[in-house]
Amino acid sequence: MTSHVNTSSFAALGRLLRYARGYRRQITAATTCSVINKLFDIAPEILIGVAIDVVVNQEQSFVAGLGFETAQSQIAVLAVLTFFIWAGESLFEYLYQILWRNLSQRLQSELRQDAYEHAQRLDMSFFEAQSSGQLVATLNDDVNQLERFLDGGANAMIQVLVTVVAVGAVFFVISPLVALLAFTPMPIIIWGAFYFQKKAGPLYADVREKVGDLSTRLSNNLAGIATIKSFTAEQREAERLKASSEAYVEANRKAIRISSAFIPVIRMAVLAGFLATFTVGGLMALDGSLNVGAYGVLVFLTQRLLWPMTGLAAVIDLFERAMASTQRILNLLAEPVHIHDQSDRDLVAPVRGEVTFRNVSFRYPASAAGIEDIDLAVPAGHTVALVGATGSGKSTLIKLLLRFYEPSQGDILIDGQSIRGVSLRSLRTAVGLVSQDVYLFEGSVRENLAYGNPDATDSEVIEAAKTAEAWTFIEALPQGLDTPVGERGARLSGGQRQRLSLARALLKNPPILVLDEATSAVDNETEAAIQRSLKRIGHNRTVIMIAHRLSTVVDADTILVVENGRVIEQGTHESLLQKGGAYSSQWRVQTGQEQLPAAANATV
């Protein structure tokens, strides 16, 4: 994912087999059925040669030596054998198809599930550096590529190998000379297979990348369709999508050009082997050094041996696509999780909500932004507000509290317990987050409200909605709590989504509630409603607010002014106004008492 491993497709296959070690029985059974089916598939050609031998030599034929004296009885025996061979071939074809297809379904489902669950455990820094389109392409399209290979390609590869071994053995038993001539093209075929595999591998890796880019473009454009329309950028975005689509087509064209050249090369090699068997074997049959029936067997088996080699092109094409996809899936699974549970111990209940930052510092790897030497104590049940310019470090404190990131130094404690020493589940259960960027899942209002507490009763859901002043508009919806919200809540207004987000957090009933710009994108009426809610829900609960509008934090027990990653002022609204510092200056600007200097940041 973030870095690509330059290993061959066979290395990817090895990694896949190690991952699938729990399916060894199914793989062995499917492989066995493929082998037996191919052996039965080859047998009719041998029987044809034996039948020719019976017709030509009759009482002196090979079958006569087995105790069947008359030609009629020999033909009858061959007919019975043919029936059982065809029945066996059909049976084992049914079995290998069932086994391979079921294996492909189970393995692709488990692989997708494991990759998704692993992705959920990855750090937030991974998602901030990775496009969602690439991840969706990996979890969906790449897994499907592997499924297609297991559905048919794996069996085809096995049967080609069985054909070479089994037919080769028959050839060398009948005539080592003809066998050598028939196998002469094999090095060319094998060299060609590896040559084209080597050439096609990087090309199909590029194809997978282009699929991810295309998925990213589609995902972003559909999510931002309102912005596209408002800027009348439809034509521009259509051109950009066309460019991504053409890049995918071009990547495929290069791969197809290589894979398509394989069949003509192999076809000529097959012709050389067939002509050698046909000519030399025929001359040997004419001079009596080779049985006529054996000659028939060799001619039929030469095609059976060499002609399937032309199918290697399609098999290798499928194999390369699957292994390129497998690399991406397994690379995702190999992404390290840096933030994980270091303990299965939960926060001691009941959680009072006392939050302490002790000399905490953190810098984002990709920039110099972060916080430095933060010492902060939030008593249980208090409301603390963080204000400051965009990028000053306010949201970083919240991300560290939730352990989305780890501080480079210092420690964060809840009720005196280091958050590193408790389970992530208990930590994040104790903290309710209401973000500026509200995310609602596609489903009903009820499902979204109960997301943090799926077992909540309707009365509990309604009470949380009333506390968040969301119940009035919910009642007015066409289906009430059962009204679909649309993708990302698209059927609701921004203020409605914000109030649902607050109600969702309240239904979780966390001892610590974090409001990250919860009122920055709503109208005055909605802001007033949320403010009324906060006065009620702040009782016996620790509330940490991040706000740009200073009017929303005037009632906070403590206000912290953050600048360049440090706390530069701290106090109540009244005390900070009296200090005449940064907070006081911004308050006067926002209340229209003075103009903001041109060089200053207009937001706090």
Side-chain angles (χ1 to χ4, degrees):
M1 296 298 298
T2 52
S3 62
H4 293 277
V5 182
N6 276 328
T7 54
S8 70
S9 297
F10 293 106
L13 179 60
R15 293 175 68 190
L16 177 62
L17 291 174
R18 287 192 295 274
Y19 171 83
R21 56 184 176 272
Y23 291 92
R24 284 176 181 169
R25 287 187 178 180
Q26 293 95 316
I27 293 172
T28 301
T31 301
T32 301
C33 289
S34 292
V35 170
I36 295 175
N37 168 261
K38 180 48 64 175
L39 293 176
F40 276 127
D41 183 49
I42 294 170
E45 275 73 11
I46 299 175
L47 289 180
I48 290 173
V50 173
I52 293 172
D53 180 50
V54 168
V55 172
V56 173
N57 296 312
Q58 299 188 16
E59 284 78 7
Q60 283 77 42
S61 69
F62 169 77
V63 179
L66 299 177
F68 300 94
E69 297 180 357
T70 65
Q72 290 79 3
S73 63
Q74 294 172 29
I75 293 295
V77 168
L78 292 179
V80 172
L81 282 174
T82 299
F83 172 80
F84 281 107
I85 286 171
W86 279 69
E89 180 188 359
S90 299
L91 172 64
F92 282 98
E93 181 174 359
Y94 168 77
L95 291 176
Y96 83 62
Q97 288 195 14
I98 289 290
L99 289 168
W100 280 119
R101 289 180 178 180
N102 284 337
L103 174 65
S104 71
Q105 292 301 314
R106 291 306 317 155
L107 188 57
Q108 64 92 15
S109 176
E110 182 174 315
L111 193 57
R112 180 184 286 110
Q113 188 68 27
D114 285 351
Y116 172 73
E117 290 181 6
H118 180 74
Q120 287 191 128
R121 293 191 294 271
L122 290 173
D123 311 332
M124 288 302 297
S125 57
F126 171 82
F127 293 98
E128 290 170 359
Q130 188 70 233
S131 74
S132 59
Q134 288 283 0
L135 286 172
V136 170
T138 297
L139 293 171
N140 188 40
D141 195 58
D142 284 332
V143 173
N144 290 340
Q145 287 287 348
L146 177 59
E147 177 193 356
R148 293 185 194 106
F149 171 70
L150 292 175
D151 256 353
N155 171 73
M157 292 183 73
I158 291 169
Q159 293 203 335
V160 166
L161 178 62
V162 172
T163 298
V164 171
V165 174
V167 173
V170 174
F171 265 62
F172 278 97
V173 168
I174 295 176
S175 173
L177 174 60
V178 176
L180 287 173
L181 293 172
F183 272 77
T184 298
M186 291 298 290
I188 299 174
I189 295 172
I190 294 173
W191 170 84
F194 280 95
Y195 174 80
F196 284 105
Q197 178 268 328
K198 182 179 179 180
K199 291 289 186 181
L203 297 178
Y204 280 118
D206 186 49
V207 169
R208 304 315 316 146
E209 284 296 315
K210 294 300 187 291
V211 168
D213 293 342
L214 188 57
S215 295
T216 298
R217 175 68 60 197
L218 285 167
S219 176
N220 288 343
N221 284 15
L222 292 175
I225 190 66
T227 303
I228 292 172
K229 286 178 175 294
S230 68
F231 283 91
T232 62
E234 291 92 340
Q235 185 59 38
R236 189 193 327 157
E237 291 302 333
E239 290 297 327
R240 293 172 70 180
L241 179 64
K242 182 179 180 181
S244 295
S245 184
E246 287 299 322
Y248 174 55
V249 170
E250 177 62 17
N252 261 308
R253 187 188 64 79
K254 292 177 180 178
I256 291 169
R257 184 176 60 192
I258 291 295
S259 62
S260 297
F262 184 65
I263 289 181
V265 172
I266 300 306
R267 187 184 295 272
M268 297 310 297
V270 169
L271 176 62
F274 180 76
L275 286 176
T277 304
F278 183 80
T279 305
V280 176
L283 294 173
M284 292 175 66
L286 288 174
D287 65 19
S289 59
L290 182 66
N291 184 284
V292 174
Y295 173 61
V297 170
L298 293 178
V299 170
F300 285 118
L301 285 184
T302 300
Q303 292 192 76
R304 180 65 70 178
L305 169 68
L306 298 177
W307 190 250
M309 295 296 175
T310 61
L312 276 179
V315 174
I316 288 176
D317 183 82
L318 197 59
F319 176 73
E320 284 300 336
R321 289 177 183 268
M323 292 307 103
S325 294
T326 297
Q327 283 282 37
R328 285 161 53 93
I329 301 164
L330 296 180
N331 285 348
L332 173 59
L333 281 167
E335 279 289 334
V337 178
H338 299 292
I339 298 176
H340 50 79
D341 284 330
Q342 297 177 351
S343 171
D344 57 1
R345 183 163 54 90
D346 291 343
L347 285 165
V348 175
V351 178
R352 293 180 293 108
E354 178 187 295
V355 178
T356 306
F357 285 74
R358 288 183 180 170
N359 192 33
V360 174
S361 296
F362 171 80
R363 295 287 174 187
Y364 292 99
S367 68
I371 58 172
E372 194 74 33
D373 296 325
I374 295 292
D375 283 300
L376 171 63
V378 182
H382 276 228
T383 296
V384 172
L386 303 173
V387 299
T390 300
S392 60
K394 307 183 301 298
S395 295
T396 299
L397 292 170
I398 304 307
K399 292 177 181 178
L400 293 173
L401 175 62
L402 286 163
R403 282 195 75 197
F404 290 164
Y405 294 91
E406 295 279 30
S408 55
Q409 74 172 44
D411 201 4
I412 303 172
L413 302 92
I414 294 179
D415 293 349
Q417 303 171 76
S418 172
I419 62 174
R420 289 176 173 171
V422 299
S423 66
L424 286 171
R425 180 177 180 83
S426 71
L427 166 65
R428 292 170 183 170
T429 298
V431 181
L433 175 64
V434 181
S435 177
Q436 174 185 2
D437 183 19
V438 177
Y439 191 96
L440 297 181
F441 295 91
E442 189 165 8
S444 68
V445 171
R446 177 188 282 103
E447 290 168 338
N448 274 279
L449 288 177
Y451 190 75
N453 185 5
D455 298 324
T457 63
D458 274 2
S459 61
E460 291 172 329
V461 169
I462 293 171
E463 182 60 31
K466 287 180 177 178
T467 304
E469 301 217 10
W471 182 242
T472 301
F473 85 78
I474 292 174
E475 276 190 308
L477 293 174
Q479 296 169 256
L481 286 170
D482 295 316
T483 302
V485 301
E487 188 176 5
R488 298 180 65 93
R491 298 182 183 179
L492 303 177
S493 70
Q496 289 173 333
R497 290 197 296 269
Q498 195 65 263
R499 278 183 270 185
L500 285 186
S501 176
L502 181 58
R504 179 169 62 185
L506 293 178
L507 192 59
K508 181 183 176 183
N509 194 28
I512 302 169
L513 181 64
V514 176
L515 305 172
D516 189 357
E517 303 287 359
T519 63
S520 64
V522 298
D523 55 48
N524 292 333
E525 182 181 348
T526 302
E527 180 185 357
I530 293 176
Q531 285 295 103
R532 290 193 298 271
S533 302
L534 293 179
K535 290 180 180 179
R536 291 195 296 272
I537 65 181
H539 184 64
N540 293 329
R541 191 193 312 269
T542 301
V543 179
I544 301 176
M545 303 171 59
I546 295 176
H548 277 159
R549 297 181 185 176
L550 300 187
S551 59
T552 63
V553 304
V554 294
D555 294 323
D557 297 305
T558 305
I559 300 171
L560 303 170
V561 182
V562 184
E563 184 177 294
N564 296 325
R566 294 179 180 271
V567 176
I568 61 169
E569 289 184 349
Q570 180 174 338
T572 64
H573 173 69
E574 295 298 334
S575 66
L576 289 174
L577 288 181
Q578 292 174 7
K579 284 183 179 180
Y583 181 86
S584 175
S585 175
Q586 291 301 324
W587 173 259
R588 290 194 299 271
V589 169
Q590 290 194 12
T591 55
Q593 298 175 34
E594 69 177 45
Q595 294 296 316
L596 185 66
N601 194 323
T603 59
V604 178

